[in-house]
């Protein structure tokens, strides 16, 4: 297993192109199961998670090929409707095949995802949503077995909390249901919007895109489509934060700045200069003659569903706040156990206390942030360790980087290109 070695304390200058969004690519790939034929998806990032989803489609009989970032998927013949434990345990988003399989074949068997590093993460909303459409589900041998009882029929669903993948899963079944489905308190994340665009291109009828109430008028037939995956706002945001941590001037290209509004506002509040032009966004944080970035103001954040501050950028923002000149309170409201990175950041000298769902970060001077060996615990926690490693002086070695490979395309290469001293070495 490889690890990442970072020699920190170097400002970042240059431009990084953003890849397609992992969290959009996964539901859009799953949606190819809905109707037979050949789909063309552009801007698909080549990540461990997208490869896992393609493997899952293949197990079910799909045939696919990749040419650069374009993936062609043919789902004419389905030979199975089961997502096995071996794949689901590596990627809980595998549950996204439930909705399209129910929509196409009326039955699906998916291993129940277990807990994960960031919390219990149940799938009860998904199952309650399907139930409203006439699906019965049972748990046997660690698998959810779901079956359309007589006919998939439109229904009323109101989620307790707006869940991204539950909204997507229920949408993918509802587009084939007889009659109208209303999903209230639906997730408004741009990735849900990307899925709606694809479903509409396939012939689905959906009202309310980008709102928390979606109305789906079921259709009998859908057809394949060609679509582009939206830019990854979490990848873009991670690099903008890195520019603040290490200092310098970093532009991210091929991004959608409107999707980054909550982060850009917080980076400005911290004292960084942020400019937005078309699909480019630049973060500027001046450095002194020794390359030491100027101090940042402490800023509080509270993670919220979109358009609020994304939980997927909480760990990275915390790494940035370790070198602020005050006390920052970071309140996590989406996942109950998303502070796994705190213990690792402390190994670099960060002063962070946890108080229930909040982390209290007392900023320290950049000189006191010193590289150390650390361990990645989940995808976004890993990105926060990379950011802290870029800011710290000396060498930081991050082990278990397979977490990073799940969601960041060529991260080390992209960062090297803007001046970071980062390399992948055997552990
Ligand atoms: C998606 C993203 C993930 C992101 C998260 C929140 C994908 C593939 N993953 O995950 O990167 O961190 O949104 O923005 O898109 N919940 C339940 N029961 C359910 C479903 C969810 O209680 O059946 C709870 C969760 O535990 C959590 C909250 O709802 O507290 C929101 O989670 P959710 O939006 O479902 O996250 P995911 O869709 O799994």
């Amino acid at each position: 297993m490889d690890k990442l070695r970072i020699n920190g304390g170097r400002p970042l200058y240059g431009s990084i192109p953003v890849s397609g969004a992992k969290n959009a690519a996964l539901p859009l790939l799953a949606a190819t199961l809905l109707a037979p034929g050949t789909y063309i998806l552009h801007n698909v990032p080549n990540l461990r998670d997208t490869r896992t989803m393609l493997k899952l489609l293949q197990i079910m009989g799909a045939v696919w090929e990749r040419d650069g970032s374009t993936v062609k998927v043919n789902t004419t013949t389905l030979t199975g409707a089961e997502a096995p434990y071996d794949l689901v345990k590596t990627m809980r988003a595998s549950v996204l095949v439930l909705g399209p399989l129910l929509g196409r074949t009326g039955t699906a068997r998916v291993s129940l995802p277990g807990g994960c590093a960031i919390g219990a993460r149940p799938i009860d909303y998904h199952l309650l949503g399907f139930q409203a459409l006439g699906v019965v589900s049972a748990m046997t041998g660690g698998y959810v077995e779901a079956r359309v009882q007589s006919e998939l029929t439109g229904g009323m669903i109101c989620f307790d909390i707006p869940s991204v993948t539950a909204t997507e899963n229920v949408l993918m079944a509802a587009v084939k249901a007889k009659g109208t489905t209303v999903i209230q308190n639906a997730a408004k994340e741009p990735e849900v919007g990307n899925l709606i665009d694809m479903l509409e291109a396939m012939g689905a009828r959906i009202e309310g895109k980008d709102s928390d109430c979606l109305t789906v008028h079921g259709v009998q037939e859908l057809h394949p489509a060609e679509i582009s995956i939206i830019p990854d706002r979490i990848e873009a945001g991670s690099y903008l934060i890195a520019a603040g941590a290490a200092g310098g001037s970093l532009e991210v290209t091929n991004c959608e700045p409107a999707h980054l509004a909550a982060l850009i506002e917080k980076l400005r509040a911290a004292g960084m200069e942020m400019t937005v032009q078309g699909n480019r966004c630049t973060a500027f944080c001046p450095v002194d003659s020794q390359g030491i970035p100027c101090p940042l103001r402490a800023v509080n954040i509270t993670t919220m569903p979109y358009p609020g501050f994304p939980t997927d950028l909480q760990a990275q923002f915390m790494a940035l706040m370790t070198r602020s000149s005050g006390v920052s309170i970071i309140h996590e409201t989406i996942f109950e156990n998303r502070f796994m990175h705190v213990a690792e950041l402390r190994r670099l000298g960060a002063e962070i206390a946890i108080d229930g769902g909040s982390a209290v970060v007392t900023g320290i001077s950049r000189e006191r942030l010193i590289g150390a060996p650390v361990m990645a615990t989940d995808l976004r926690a890993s990105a926060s360790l990379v950011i802290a490693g870029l800011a710290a002086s000396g060498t930081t070695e991050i082990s278990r980087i397979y977490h990073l490979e799940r969601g960041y395309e060529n991260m080390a290469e992209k960062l090297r290109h803007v001046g970071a001293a980062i390399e992948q070495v055997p552990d």
Side-chain angles (χ1 to χ4, degrees):
M1 214 186 304
D2 284 355
K3 61 185 175 184
L4 272 184
R5 181 179 294 149
I6 302 174
N7 279 313
R10 296 168 185 231
L12 306 176
Y13 292 99
S15 189
I16 293 184
V18 173
S19 301
K22 167 182 90 73
N23 285 354
L26 298 177
L28 270 68
L29 283 169
T32 65
L33 291 168
L34 258 170
T38 302
Y39 297 75
I40 302 176
L41 275 67
H42 301 287
N43 204 28
V44 180
N46 192 354
L47 302 165
R48 190 180 283 257
D49 274 11
T50 47
R51 291 194 291 270
T52 301
M53 183 56 88
L54 285 166
K55 207 180 287 177
L56 197 49
L57 299 182
Q58 201 170 331
I59 287 175
M60 293 175 188
V63 180
W64 62 271
E65 60 184 53
R66 177 184 271 279
D67 180 9
S69 66
T70 295
V71 174
K72 247 189 217 174
V73 187
N74 182 303
T75 56
T76 302
T77 317
L78 289 193
T79 51
E82 177 173 315
Y85 177 63
D86 276 353
L87 289 183
V88 180
K89 75 177 183 203
T90 65
M91 185 186 72
R92 66 186 316 285
S94 308
V95 296
L96 282 166
V97 299
L98 267 172
L101 285 174
L102 288 168
R104 174 152 167 196
T105 68
T107 157
R109 189 168 184 268
V110 173
S111 172
L112 186 72
C116 65
I118 62 173
R121 297 182 84 175
I123 60 159
D124 52 331
Y125 300 168
H126 303 235
L127 301 182
L128 280 169
F130 293 140
Q131 195 182 331
L133 305 181
V135 172
V136 285
S137 52
M139 200 68 63
T140 4
Y143 278 74
V144 179
E145 293 187 343
R147 175 172 57 78
V148 173
Q149 206 162 19
S150 55
E151 190 174 29
L152 210 52
T153 347
M156 292 284 292
I157 295 139
C158 180
F159 291 122
D160 281 356
I161 301 173
S163 158
V164 178
T165 47
T167 302
E168 293 166 344
N169 233 343
V170 172
L171 261 178
M172 289 190 277
V175 288
K176 286 291 296 293
K178 189 175 173 191
T180 299
T181 298
V182 178
I183 308 175
Q184 288 183 43
N185 209 13
K188 293 183 287 191
E189 269 67 3
E191 294 75 18
V192 177
N194 203 181
L195 175 65
I196 292 176
D197 286 342
M198 169 157 173
L199 294 173
E200 285 184 332
M202 290 167 65
R205 290 174 54 215
I206 303 166
E207 291 162 27
K209 186 184 157 196
D210 299 330
S211 83
D212 60 4
C213 182
L214 300 172
T215 305
V216 186
H217 305 285
V219 295
Q220 272 188 343
E221 292 294 325
L222 293 169
H223 51 80
E226 177 168 358
I227 183 127
S228 272
I229 308 294
I230 58 170
D232 196 314
R233 62 196 167 97
I234 305 302
E235 187 201 10
S238 301
Y239 292 131
L240 294 172
I241 294 173
S249 177
L250 188 65
E251 175 193 57
V252 290
T253 61
N254 306 342
C255 71
E256 178 45 86
H259 295 166
L260 288 159
L263 172 71
I264 291 174
E265 201 175 301
K266 291 293 176 184
L267 294 179
R268 278 199 184 117
M272 289 169 63
E273 202 178 300
M274 306 294 300
T275 49
V276 168
Q277 210 177 23
N279 66 353
R280 295 161 179 263
C281 184
T282 307
F284 175 61
C285 178
V287 295
D288 68 15
S289 55
Q290 277 133 47
I292 302 206
C294 74
L296 294 172
R297 283 191 287 273
V299 172
N300 300 336
I301 58 162
T302 299
T303 60
M304 294 293 256
Y306 188 83
F309 193 96
T311 173
D312 283 354
L313 285 174
Q314 177 257 108
Q316 299 88 318
F317 199 83
M318 189 184 297
L320 179 69
M321 285 296 104
T322 60
R323 71 160 206 82
S324 84
S325 55
V327 176
S328 159
I329 306 207
I330 296 189
H331 189 41
E332 171 60 54
T333 71
I334 310 290
F335 294 113
E336 71 278 11
N337 188 24
R338 208 169 198 181
F339 287 138
M340 304 288 283
H341 43 286
V342 168
E344 302 299 311
L345 289 173
R346 283 190 191 131
R347 293 179 51 77
L348 275 70
E351 286 183 17
I352 308 170
I354 297 180
D355 180 12
S358 297
V360 181
V361 187
T362 305
I364 56 172
S365 68
R366 221 291 299 267
E367 292 80 353
R368 285 175 54 210
L369 210 55
I370 299 166
V374 288
M375 200 165 67
T377 49
D378 68 67
L379 169 56
R380 306 304 171 186
S382 317
S384 110
L385 298 177
V386 171
I387 291 168
L390 292 170
S393 57
T395 304
T396 296
E397 286 189 342
I398 307 174
S399 52
R400 298 201 180 166
I401 53 163
Y402 54 85
H403 289 294
L404 263 184
E405 291 161 359
R406 285 189 41 217
Y408 288 88
E409 199 175 39
N410 307 327
M411 187 189 226
E413 195 185 314
K414 287 184 180 183
L415 284 169
R416 255 196 313 274
H417 188 68
V418 294
I422 176 169
E423 54 176 347
Q424 197 161 326
V425 293
D427 202 351

